[in-house]
Amino acid sequence: MNDIENVSNGEDRSVPIANDGTYSTFETGVAIDSTGALVELDTRGKDTLDVAVSADTESSAQFGVEASPDGETWVGPTVSSDAGVTEWFDTLVNGSRFVRLTVIEPASNGTTATTYMEASALLNPQKAAG
């Protein structure tokens, strides 16, 4: 089942469209030189989460993913990168409506990164059949 979203047509009217079930957020130039949240994503119940962080310079940061059922009460990090990484890429099984990428251990002053998170439906034939 596809999710339905609204967009504006050429006459400035809101019209429904089917979404393929993929939701993402992408940010460039995000400061990673202090702890805290970088980006947040409403997964709309999708169960697969791809996470990517790439620092613009050599860094020694550690990143994590926190989860929330309501976007207000956060638990985590539920999963984290190794300490002292410049890049982190991971695919996770997600059970929360909201997720956010955080800095656990900051990089040196002035370091920024490109961040990306995407939530999608797991293509599991047994799940689809059950």
Side-chain angles (χ1 to χ4, degrees), residues 6-21:
N6 289 314
V7 296
S8 179
N9 67 8
E11 299 172 356
D12 290 329
R13 284 188 235 151
S14 183
V15 294
I17 60 164
N19 183 296
D20 69 356

Side-chain angles (χ1 to χ4, degrees), residues 1 3 5 10 14-15 26 28 52 54-55 61-62 66-67 70 75-76 78 82 86 92 97 99 103:
M1 181 167 111
D3 294 316
E5 293 187 349
S14 183
V15 294
F26 175 83
T28 58
S54 180
Q62 183 177 12
E66 295 180 333
D70 57 11
V75 176
T78 57
D82 293 331
T86 301
L92 314 166
R97 173 69 190 255
V99 292
V103 175

Side-chain angles (χ1 to χ4, degrees), residues 17-18 20-21 27 34 36 40 42-43 49-51 65 75 80 83-84 87 90-91 104 109 114 125 129:
I17 60 164
D20 69 356
E27 298 276 339
S34 62
E40 185 177 313
D42 179 348
T43 68
L49 181 68
D50 292 317
V51 179
V65 175
V75 176
S80 63
E87 295 184 335
D90 209 344
T91 297
I104 299 170
N109 284 341
T114 298

Side-chain angles (χ1 to χ4, degrees), residues 45-67:
K46 304 305 177 193
D47 56 11
T48 303
L49 181 68
D50 292 317
V51 179
V53 182
S54 180
D56 61 354
T57 60
E58 192 68 29
S59 76
S60 58
Q62 183 177 12
F63 306 98
V65 175
E66 295 180 333

Side-chain angles (χ1 to χ4, degrees), residues 21-45:
T22 301
Y23 303 96
S24 62
T25 183
F26 175 83
E27 298 276 339
T28 58
V30 178
I32 60 171
D33 56 0
S34 62
T35 59
L38 297 175
V39 292
E40 185 177 313
L41 179 64
D42 179 348
T43 68
R44 296 181 176 114

